[in-house]
């Protein structure tokens, strides 16, 4: 008599009889292959990570469906039919089989499930987290500390010598300079503006992970400058060597370079600095002095004096690459990333990039890649920079910039964008740039506790700038008492146009403050503001917010008000054309909009021709849209010919985008992709 199997034995036997184990094994292996192939193809075609996410979700959700189908149905000569119940003794026979015949099916099914789970987890999580990379043992970190400076003409050189020597040492042999921003942040936090005892200064270098500390003083006596420098073992505090150079005041550049060479000899490198390690290639002492004043203003996020000083440095020496690099950064913060002044300075720096030290050259390359939307290359270079300079807050900030501006197209959740910025703040608690982005992120995420915390941190360093006041005003509206909210609203009546613009930027990211934002943008149109700023308010801000709120008639009225001022008919025509191309414009004005575009030369610009092409596409005039794409290519060629590579890249992108939409309209989906 056949022994009746136990409950679990009968269940597993039923799974084997219905081929569930076989389906699980095959589905897991095939799914793993599909996910790997999809990952490679999507990366090769540079498609959005959302496509890969969708494929992964479909594959994973398909697994239980496949298992249920295998249990319920079976193939027969008549086709698919419901699985019949087990015949008498069929399950007992399966249980009675030797293990060598029973176990392989279950093991293969388990392997399939592991492959499916592992493949899905790997695809969904790769590239999402910041990997902390320790400094390679072959690199020796050196911290160049602020110099003591005696003499009124040497004030700028207190931090200036630190900047010059640190930049010159970085990347030579196996040396890596600790970022001067980090040093100054911790220096001010620990010592203020005082000059501490040498032991305490060297101790700070050790706390920052430096192997060596460079400290010294510059003294002006009898018309001569003398610079004495000492090198310390930052781990033990022992002095290892000392150097001294002297010369007339107008020889500071030669003195600093001679001091750098002496330091290299004392550190055992025995290498000339060479062009690849020399940051300050200019021969003008005044240009370097202006540059150092600009950099010191940048550390305080004081952009106007920073721009003034850096512009002066470039007026003295137009080939001063690092000054152009910092000027581009300053313009980007004063206005916005991609501002024409920022792009111009960035292009100037690129022309002389070979004169920059390795770190700054990589930073410039990263910014250029990010500006052109080349997301994978930007992310790769940014991660390599944080590996090379793990204690450099600017490197972590630049990684955060890639997340912030390109994270959407790489499928990185917004909740993770703040991690590099937080790391930058951990290294430099006074670094205002990551604080500003963290305020943006917490507001976008509706994390008002986090927003309030970062507003407090920012205000501790800067409480009176337009940036600070605008954030405080938004916080008062959202989190303040009724009296605070009313006071914040009433303050709009006396705010200048730039302060209102900053407030609008701070409020734009959250629909919950839409009523407040409406009040802000209409306040920007008040007669107390200059006419150009009022025109921009009607054309851009009021128009944008009314569209955001779903009120197209009010958006049309805003453009009418901007047009009535008569100072930017080209810009008004562009915005009207955008609305027409999206099916919400005033069609009665279509002819006049096109005429205004032709008269103002709008259609010879990348954005204007793109708007015209999308309008033709909306009208289903595909041949005209195709011609617009060809014209965009011609515009790109002409821009390249005059050296405007950034706008040429934009024009080419518009052309490809328009062709992609055309192909999609025609049903040519492979071509569209």
């Amino acid at each position: 008599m056949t022994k009746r199997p136990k409950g679990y034995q009968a269940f597993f036997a039923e799974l084997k009889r219905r081929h569930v184990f076989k389906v699980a094994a095959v589905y897991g292996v095939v799914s793993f292959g599909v996910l790997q192939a999809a990952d490679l193809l999507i990366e090769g075609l540079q498609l959005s990570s959302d496509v890969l996410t969708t494929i992964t979700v479909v594959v994973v959700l398909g697994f239980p469906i496949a298992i249920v189908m295998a249990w319920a149905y079976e193939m027969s000569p008549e086709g698919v039919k419901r699985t019949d119940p087990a015949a008498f003794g069929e399950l007992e026979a399966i249980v009675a089989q030797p293990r060598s015949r029973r176990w392989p099916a279950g093991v293969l099914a388990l392997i399939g499930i592991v492959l499916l789970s592992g493949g899905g987890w790997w695809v969904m999580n790769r590239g999402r987290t910041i990997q902390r990379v320790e400094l390679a043992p072959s690199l020796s970190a050196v911290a160049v500390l602020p110099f003591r400076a005696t003499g009124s003409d040497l004030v700028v050189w207190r931090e200036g010598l630190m900047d010059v020597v640190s930049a010159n040492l970085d990347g030579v042999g196996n040396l890596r300079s600790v970022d001067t921003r980090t040093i100054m942040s911790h220096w001010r936090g620990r010592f203020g503006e005082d000059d501490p005892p040498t032991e305490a200064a060297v101790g700070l270098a050790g706390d920052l992970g430096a192997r060596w500390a460079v400290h010294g003083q510059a003294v002006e006596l009898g018309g001569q400058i003398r610079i004495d420098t000492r090198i310390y073992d930052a781990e033990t505090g022992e002095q290892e060597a000392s150097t001294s150079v002297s010369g007339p005041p107008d020889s500071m550049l030669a003195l600093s370079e001679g001091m750098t060479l002496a330091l290299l000899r004392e550190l055992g490198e025995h290498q000339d600095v060479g062009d690849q390690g020399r940051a300050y290639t200019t021969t003008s002492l005044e240009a370097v002095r202006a540059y150092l004043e600009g950099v010191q203003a940048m550390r305080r996020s004081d952009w106007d004096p920073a721009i003034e000083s850096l512009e002066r440095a470039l007026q003295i020496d137009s080939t001063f690459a690092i000054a152009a690099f910092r000027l581009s950064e300053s313009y980007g913060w004063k206005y916005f990333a991609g501002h024409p002044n920022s792009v111009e300075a960035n292009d100037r720096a690129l022309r002389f990039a070979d004169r920059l030290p390795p770190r700054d050259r990589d930073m410039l390359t990263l910014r250029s890649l990010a500006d052109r939307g080349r997301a994978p290359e930007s992310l790769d270079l940014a991660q390599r920079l944080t590996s090379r300079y793990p204690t450099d807050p600017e490197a972590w900030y630049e990684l955060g910039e890639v997340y912030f501006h390109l994270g959407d197209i790489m499928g990185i959740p917004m909740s993770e964008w703040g991690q590099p910025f937080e790391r930058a703040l951990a290294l430099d608690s006074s670094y205002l740039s990551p604080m500003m982005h963290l305020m943006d992120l917490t507001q976008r995420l509706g994390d008002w506790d986090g927003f309030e915390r970062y507003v407090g941190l920012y205000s501790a360093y800067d409480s009176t700038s337009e940036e600070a006041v605008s954030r405080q005003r938004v916080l008062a509206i959202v989190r303040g008492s009724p009296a605070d909210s009313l006071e914040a609203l009433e303050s709009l009546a006396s705010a200048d146009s730039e302060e209102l613009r900053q407030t609008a930027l701070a409020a734009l990211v959250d629909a919950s403050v839409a009523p407040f934002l409406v009040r802000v943008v209409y306040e920007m149109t008040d007669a107390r503001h200059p006419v150009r700023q009022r025109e921009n308010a009607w054309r851009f801000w009021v128009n944008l917010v009314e569209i955001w709120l779903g009120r197209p008639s009010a958006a049309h009225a805003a453009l009418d008000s901007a047009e009535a001022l008569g100072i930017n008919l080209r810009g008004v025509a562009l915005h009207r054309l955008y609305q027409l191309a999206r099916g919400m414009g005033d069609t009665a004005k279509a002819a006049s909009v096109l005429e205004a575009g032709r008269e103002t030369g709008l259609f010879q610009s990348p954005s204007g021709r793109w708007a015209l092409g999308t309008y033709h596409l909306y009208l289903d005039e595909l041949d005209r849209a195709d011609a617009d794409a060809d014209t965009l290519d011609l515009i790109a060629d002409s821009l390249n010919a005059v050296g405007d590579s950034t706008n040429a890249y934009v024009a080419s992108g518009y052309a490809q985008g328009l062709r992609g939409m055309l192909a999609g309209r025609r049903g040519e989906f492979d071509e569209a992709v």
Side-chain angles (χ1 to χ4, degrees):
M1 182 176 180
T2 305
K3 183 179 179 182
R4 184 177 181 82
K6 297 178 181 179
Y8 73 90
Q9 291 177 321
F11 175 69
F12 284 119
E14 188 69 65
L15 289 176
K16 183 177 181 182
R17 186 184 76 85
R18 294 174 181 253
H19 305 295
V20 172
F21 286 143
K22 182 185 295 184
V23 169
V26 172
Y27 191 98
V29 172
V30 172
S31 297
F32 182 80
V34 168
L35 291 175
Q36 303 310 303
D39 184 34
L40 292 173
L41 287 174
I42 287 170
E43 183 176 349
L45 294 173
Q46 296 186 346
L47 299 181
S48 168
S49 294
D50 289 342
V51 178
L52 184 57
T53 300
T54 301
I55 293 173
T56 305
V57 170
V58 170
V59 167
V60 172
L61 292 181
F63 179 73
I65 296 174
I67 296 301
V68 170
M69 295 293 291
W71 175 274
Y73 297 95
E74 65 177 344
M75 292 294 298
S76 71
E78 295 80 24
V80 178
K81 67 172 187 176
R82 292 190 64 86
T83 303
D84 295 328
F88 178 77
E90 188 174 3
L91 297 181
E92 288 80 355
I94 294 174
V95 172
Q97 291 176 349
R99 291 182 179 181
S100 60
R101 293 189 60 189
R102 285 187 289 121
W103 281 40
V107 171
L108 289 174
L110 180 61
I111 292 173
I113 294 172
V114 170
L115 285 173
L116 173 62
S117 303
W121 179 89
W122 183 82
V123 169
M124 294 290 286
N125 287 277
R126 72 180 185 88
R128 292 287 180 84
T129 58
I130 301 170
Q131 298 296 324
R132 178 170 180 170
V133 182
E134 298 298 329
L135 188 65
S138 61
L139 296 177
S140 294
V142 55
V144 183
L145 304 170
F147 278 59
R148 295 188 177 94
T150 304
S152 58
D153 290 340
L154 294 178
V155 172
V156 71
W157 294 100
R158 178 175 183 267
E159 295 179 34
L161 280 170
M162 174 185 67
D163 287 321
V164 171
V165 175
S166 181
N168 283 342
L169 290 176
D170 189 45
V172 178
N174 67 353
L175 294 179
R176 177 189 58 77
S177 296
V178 177
D179 182 62
T180 55
R181 185 191 295 273
T182 301
I183 293 172
M184 287 309 302
S185 172
H186 288 270
W187 184 280
R188 291 193 175 105
R190 189 174 297 188
F191 310 125
E193 296 299 328
D194 297 333
D195 288 321
T198 299
E199 295 79 7
V202 174
L204 173 64
D207 292 343
L208 293 175
R211 175 68 180 84
W212 309 101
V214 176
H215 193 32
Q217 62 180 358
V219 180
E220 183 178 3
L221 290 173
Q224 293 283 302
I225 302 293
R226 178 184 174 90
I227 306 175
D228 296 309
T229 310
R230 293 177 175 82
I231 304 170
Y232 298 87
D233 185 320
E235 297 175 355
T236 65
E238 297 293 325
Q239 179 178 321
E240 296 291 329
S242 63
T243 66
S244 181
V245 293
S246 60
D250 61 1
S251 66
M252 278 296 289
L253 290 179
L255 291 177
S256 63
E257 189 150 307
M259 181 174 61
T260 301
L261 293 170
L263 289 172
L264 289 171
R265 286 192 294 271
E266 295 295 343
L267 288 170
E269 299 300 322
H270 302 293
Q271 298 182 47
D272 183 78
V273 178
D275 288 340
Q276 297 305 308
R278 188 180 296 115
Y280 302 90
T281 55
T282 181
T283 58
S284 169
L285 178 62
E286 288 307 310
V288 171
R289 185 186 295 273
Y291 167 81
L292 294 174
E293 290 172 353
V295 169
Q296 290 165 27
M298 287 179 69
R299 287 198 190 105
R300 302 187 300 271
S301 295
D302 203 351
W303 306 116
D304 285 330
I307 289 170
E308 179 184 353
S309 296
L310 293 166
E311 288 277 19
R312 190 168 71 253
L314 286 166
Q315 287 171 2
I316 298 169
D317 184 350
S318 61
T319 69
F320 197 175
I322 198 169
F325 173 43
R326 295 302 179 191
L327 179 63
S328 174
E329 183 180 2
S330 297
Y331 270 125
W333 271 112
K334 177 174 172 60
Y335 299 109
F336 52 84
H339 186 275
N341 291 352
S342 178
V343 171
E344 181 184 355
N346 190 67
D347 287 345
R348 183 188 299 190
L350 280 170
R351 288 197 294 271
F352 303 103
D354 59 333
R355 304 186 180 196
L356 291 171
R359 173 193 174 278
D360 290 332
R361 188 165 60 244
D362 285 342
M363 290 285 189
L364 178 62
T365 301
L366 172 59
R367 195 162 299 155
S368 177
L369 290 171
D371 285 345
R372 285 157 173 76
R374 294 164 65 174
E377 295 165 90
S378 300
L379 181 61
D380 177 66
L381 180 54
Q383 289 177 328
R384 283 190 283 117
L385 280 169
T386 56
S387 298
R388 169 88 169 125
Y389 306 102
T391 61
D392 183 346
E394 190 173 3
W396 287 100
Y397 169 73
E398 291 296 341
L399 177 59
E401 282 278 272
V402 173
Y403 276 32
F404 189 84
H405 294 291
L406 302 174
D408 277 333
I409 64 175
M410 292 188 288
I412 301 174
M414 189 184 297
S415 59
E416 296 178 10
W417 294 359
Q419 294 176 11
F421 294 135
E422 290 167 352
R423 179 65 180 271
L425 276 184
L427 293 165
D428 178 356
S429 60
S430 66
Y431 196 175
L432 298 186
S433 299
M435 285 187 208
M436 287 189 272
H437 278 319
L438 286 167
M439 288 188 289
D440 290 334
L441 286 170
T442 49
Q443 190 171 345
R444 288 190 191 186
L445 293 167
D447 177 11
W448 293 110
D449 289 336
F451 180 71
E452 185 171 6
R453 178 162 54 89
Y454 288 120
V455 170
L457 285 174
Y458 187 91
S459 298
Y461 293 97
D462 170 18
S463 60
T464 59
S465 70
E466 291 163 344
E467 175 75 29
V469 171
S470 66
R471 303 289 186 167
Q472 292 161 0
R473 183 181 286 118
V474 173
L475 184 61
I477 294 291
V478 177
R479 277 291 179 89
S481 65
D484 291 335
S485 297
L486 181 61
E487 182 181 355
L489 286 171
E490 290 176 346
S491 71
L492 295 172
S494 60
D496 64 28
S497 185
E498 178 59 24
E499 188 179 331
L500 289 169
R501 188 181 75 87
Q502 290 288 346
T503 303
L505 286 169
L508 185 62
V509 296
D510 191 333
S512 68
V513 293
F516 167 54
L517 182 57
V518 171
R519 174 80 177 269
V520 173
V521 297
Y522 275 99
E523 193 67 44
M524 294 166 74
T525 68
D526 189 80
R528 71 179 184 274
H529 303 303
V531 64
R532 287 193 175 278
Q533 294 174 349
R534 300 205 316 269
E535 188 277 335
N536 181 69
W538 283 117
R539 174 176 49 83
F540 179 78
W541 285 105
V542 178
N543 175 45
L544 172 69
V545 170
E546 293 295 2
I547 290 175
W548 184 41
L549 295 175
R551 302 192 298 215
S553 60
H556 301 159
L559 292 178
D560 290 340
S561 297
E563 187 175 14
L565 294 173
I567 62 172
N568 191 356
L569 299 180
R570 173 171 165 158
V572 173
L574 177 64
H575 283 277
R576 288 197 192 281
L577 194 55
Y578 276 139
Q579 290 185 2
L580 287 168
R582 287 156 180 76
M584 60 181 180
D586 185 350
T587 55
K589 292 188 175 182
S592 62
V593 170
L594 295 174
E595 181 62 26
R598 286 189 287 269
E599 290 179 352
T600 59
L602 172 64
F603 303 139
Q604 302 309 309
S605 69
S607 58
R609 182 58 66 166
W610 159 260
L612 182 63
T614 56
Y615 177 59
H616 286 149
L617 196 64
Y618 169 72
L619 296 177
D620 214 28
E621 297 176 351
L622 303 190
D623 290 342
R624 286 190 172 185
D626 206 359
D628 291 324
D630 292 339
T631 303
L632 280 164
D633 281 333
L634 293 175
I635 292 173
D637 291 341
S638 65
L639 289 169
N640 267 322
V642 297
D644 191 352
S645 58
T646 299
N647 282 318
Y649 189 85
V650 170
S652 293
Y654 278 145
Q656 294 292 356
L658 194 55
R659 289 195 178 96
M661 293 194 296
L662 275 164
R665 181 69 63 85
R666 291 166 174 155
E668 300 165 352
F669 299 115
D670 289 340
E671 177 65 22
V673 171

